[in-house]
Amino acid sequence: MKDICFVFMQGYGPQSVEEKQRLYMLLRNLNFNGESLPASVSEPYTPTAQKFGSGTSAEGLYSPELRGELGAGLLDLHAMDDTGLLSEDVDSEPFEPSPFMPKEIDDDEDDMITGSQLGPADNYNAVTSEKEISTRENNVAKIKVVVRKRPLNRKELSRKEDDAVAVHDSSSLTVYEPKLKVDLTAYVEQHEFCFDAVLDEDVSNDEVYRETVERIIPIIFQRTKATCFAYGQTGSGKTYTMQPLPLRAAQDMIRLLQQPVYRNQNFKLWLSYFEIYGGKLYDLLSDRRHLLMREDGKKQVCIVGLQEFEVSDVQVVREYIERGNAARSTGSTGANEESSRSHAILQLAVKKHIIVTETRRQRDRDANEAKNTKAVGKISFIDLAGSERGADTTDNDRQTRIEGAEINKSLLALKECIRALDNDQIHIPFRGSKLTEVLRDSFVV
Ligand SMILES: Nc1ncnc2c1ncn2[C@@H]1O[C@H](COP(=O)(O)OP(=O)(O)OP(=O)(O)O)[C@@H](O)[C@H]1O
């Protein structure tokens, strides 16, 4: 079997329920974990208005039993913010629309989903045209789902396994699912999917960067936060895909920092890296120091004690990333010898350093100007731990199974939050896991 890793991009700024629901729609159908694939799909699933327009055609895809055990992921690292974004004193070009936003938007069609276009089996809530309009007008959160196919690994090749995924073009693929009839005759079911982008197995990490992160780097300097996360089952290539991205992003950010417009404003780049392992937070750049998560008076989640480092050199960024990677919790699963056993979160924050004059007493004491910083924008890279099927755990020891259970639990909690959002529930179960607690603000508009 070939596996697929999803790279999901989320632009920050004001977010709408509609965008999040759309993401949920996209991702909850992406469980290629053998047993959770749809039993029968007569038409391809397309996460755009055109396909939703087909009414019941893809009905089977949306029934709860076909969603699979571990569904979608939706992350937002407002949660990690203990400071609001700088709202003034930033000289920049006018605020840019999302790089994922089509330049020209046709009023009545394309990428927006209308209530009338939804299939009856789907309890996706109708999106009113009024909301659509306001969404467009506000240029709100932009989501991009990119799928990367990985090549067969040595084990799969030696077992002469079939290639289960065929990439057709830059936005669609087919998954071939081997099945057995009741009389044990083998047959293959085909499932077609469309995404914002599909990258074939020969695509390099550099191309992944260009397709996903590159375009949002400039807007991080314009009071924007973005999150890129990798979702997929264990061994699907999440870490392989995610690890090079922050370094490439840092390279571009450092280059931008040299530009007079940002240099003159004293913009600097800061890096932090932590993981959520077994429901606990650890600083990967500070000897795995146990971190505590607290809520402040404004119900903002703060990670107390998380170390941030100012970086101005790509080589230094590389060293920090390597140090953090080395500190990450890894283990071995049936599907991946070097499996990440944690959710890793690397953040690159642009901050404006403000020279402030302290109180008279302090000034007298210090006679120096004190420095202060204010967040301008931030990009977060999240390498989620892989979801695991029962079949992946047969060879695992007790510890690995416990870890797997914890990982699945947290991804399930993530799914529950997204499902609650999808159902417009008032109560969103953030407290289901540390992951969802930390990412709480992503579910709150
Ligand atoms: N696109 C690719 N091209 C070549 N090799 C790949 C690709 N994707 C993944 N691999 C290889 O597959 C193996 C598993 O990848 P990786 O560790 O990134 O999976 P993962 O999804 O992070 O798994 P886990 O959730 O268990 O941590 C690694 O040896 C990696 O080098």
Side-chain angles (χ1 to χ4, degrees):
M1 279 284 285
K2 283 194 183 183
D3 282 320
I4 306 176
C5 153
F6 305 101
V7 179
F8 160 72
M9 304 296 307
Q10 184 184 9
Y12 277 66
Q15 295 208 346
S16 73
V17 172
E18 292 82 4
E19 281 287 351
K20 290 171 183 175
Q21 285 171 332
R22 179 169 170 252
L23 174 71
Y24 175 67
M25 295 290 293
L26 287 166
L27 290 182
R28 74 180 184 184
N29 297 300
L30 298 183
N31 286 300
F32 299 134
N33 301 351
E35 62 270 34
S36 62
L37 276 165
S40 136
V41 181
S42 55
E43 277 197 25
Y45 163 68
T46 307
T48 53
Q50 300 97 291
K51 193 43 65 182
F52 285 114
S54 62
T56 59
S57 64
E59 184 175 334
L61 276 170
Y62 306 128
S63 60
E65 66 273 23
L66 299 180
R67 290 175 186 173
E69 267 315 289
L70 298 164
L74 175 64
L75 308 180
D76 180 335
L77 292 190
H78 277 302
M80 257 58 81
D81 253 351
D82 46 2
T83 48
L85 287 188
L86 184 64
S87 56
E88 71 258 345
D89 299 326
V90 179
D91 302 337
S92 60
E93 289 98 57
F95 191 81
E96 293 259 326
S98 161
F100 303 144
M101 200 74 170
K103 288 270 178 281
E104 292 286 328
I105 301 170
D106 229 330
D107 267 358
D108 304 316
E109 47 195 49
D110 293 339
D111 58 336
M112 301 305 292
I113 302 159
T114 62
S116 60
Q117 291 168 318
L118 299 172
D122 182 43
N123 50 13
Y124 181 94
N125 293 295
V127 179
T128 63
S129 56
E130 200 181 325
K131 280 183 185 167
E132 285 175 26
I133 291 163
S134 86
T135 295
R136 291 179 193 183
E137 279 176 353
N138 292 330
N139 256 343
V140 296
K142 321 308 176 302
I143 294 165
K144 181 168 184 174
V145 180
V146 180
V147 176
R148 182 187 202 183
K149 176 189 178 183
R150 78 151 164 76
L152 288 172
N153 61 32
R154 229 178 298 139
K155 212 161 151 186
E156 291 157 342
L157 284 170
S158 71
R159 286 200 230 115
K160 295 197 169 34
E161 289 189 16
D162 288 329
D163 188 341
V165 177
V167 173
H168 302 306
D169 51 43
S170 59
S171 63
S172 66
L173 57 81
T174 301
V175 177
Y176 300 98
E177 186 192 9
K179 294 220 130 188
L180 281 181
K181 289 186 184 162
V182 276
D183 63 0
L184 300 184
T185 322
Y187 69 104
V188 175
E189 259 180 21
Q190 291 188 24
H191 312 278
E192 294 187 27
F193 299 90
C194 289
F195 301 94
D196 294 312
V198 174
L199 305 173
D200 211 343
E201 61 189 54
D202 53 356
V203 161
S204 68
N205 282 331
D206 245 23
E207 283 168 85
V208 174
Y209 175 75
R210 281 197 291 277
E211 186 60 56
T212 54
V213 178
E214 187 175 52
R215 272 170 287 176
I216 51 175
I217 294 300
I219 61 165
I220 301 299
F221 288 72
Q222 294 170 26
R223 305 189 312 281
T224 301
K225 299 180 192 174
T227 300
C228 168
F229 77 79
Y231 177 87
Q233 76 187 66
T234 174
S236 57
K238 297 180 298 297
T239 305
Y240 182 88
T241 300
M242 285 298 283
Q243 274 189 353
L245 298 180
L247 187 64
R248 288 285 284 108
Q251 223 167 357
D252 285 351
M253 290 170 99
I254 288 170
R255 202 172 34 239
L256 278 170
L257 285 172
Q258 315 295 331
Q259 292 189 355
V261 63
Y262 301 127
R263 210 181 44 221
N264 295 344
Q265 292 180 84
N266 228 359
F267 280 12
K268 308 271 186 216
L269 184 62
W270 291 77
L271 180 150
S272 60
Y273 198 7
F274 68 98
E275 72 172 8
I276 305 173
Y277 172 74
K280 296 198 169 81
L281 275 61
Y282 298 95
D283 193 334
L284 294 175
L285 297 178
S286 186
D287 299 323
R288 297 185 53 78
R289 191 148 65 98
H290 184 200
L291 301 168
L292 291 176
M293 200 189 65
R294 295 267 183 265
E295 257 179 40
D296 67 12
K298 291 181 223 147
K299 294 228 173 211
Q300 288 277 322
V301 177
C302 311
I303 303 198
V304 182
L306 177 65
Q307 288 282 315
E308 275 192 293
F309 298 89
E310 193 195 320
V311 284
S312 54
D313 182 278
V314 177
Q315 191 51 36
V316 175
V317 174
R318 187 194 301 275
E319 282 163 22
Y320 278 126
I321 293 176
E322 283 172 4
R323 200 166 106 199
N325 291 343
R328 229 189 128 176
S329 306
T330 56
S332 178
T333 64
N336 186 7
E337 274 170 25
E338 214 183 310
S339 175
S340 313
R341 313 305 290 156
S342 65
H343 308 298
I345 299 166
L346 190 151
Q347 298 185 310
L348 293 172
V350 176
K351 295 187 184 183
K352 181 179 165 106
H353 286 225
I354 304 160
I355 312 293
V356 292
T357 45
E358 290 287 337
T359 60
R360 182 181 294 261
R361 192 185 305 179
Q362 271 178 310
R363 222 177 25 234
D364 291 343
R365 198 178 335 131
D366 199 350
N368 278 330
E369 287 171 321
K371 269 192 181 158
N372 204 354
T373 60
K374 195 90 174 112
V376 175
K378 174 149 60 179
I379 180 159
S380 306
F381 297 89
I382 306 180
D383 182 11
L384 286 171
S387 58
E388 284 169 31
R389 304 171 302 168
D392 297 325
T393 64
T394 47
D395 302 333
N396 295 349
D397 58 22
R398 187 167 175 278
Q399 176 62 19
T400 311
R401 284 179 194 227
I402 292 171
E403 285 172 355
E406 184 64 43
I407 291 165
N408 281 359
K409 195 179 112 190
S410 62
L411 292 173
L412 187 62
L414 188 58
K415 183 176 99 167
E416 288 306 319
C417 287
I418 295 167
R419 180 176 282 172
L421 176 73
D422 181 49
N423 290 337
D424 250 357
Q425 287 172 16
I426 295 165
H427 173 68
I428 313 284
F430 301 117
R431 294 185 196 277
S433 81
K434 208 47 130 207
L435 179 67
T436 46
E437 274 189 83
V438 166
L439 302 172
R440 169 185 186 139
D441 288 1
S442 61
F443 304 105
V444 181
V445 185

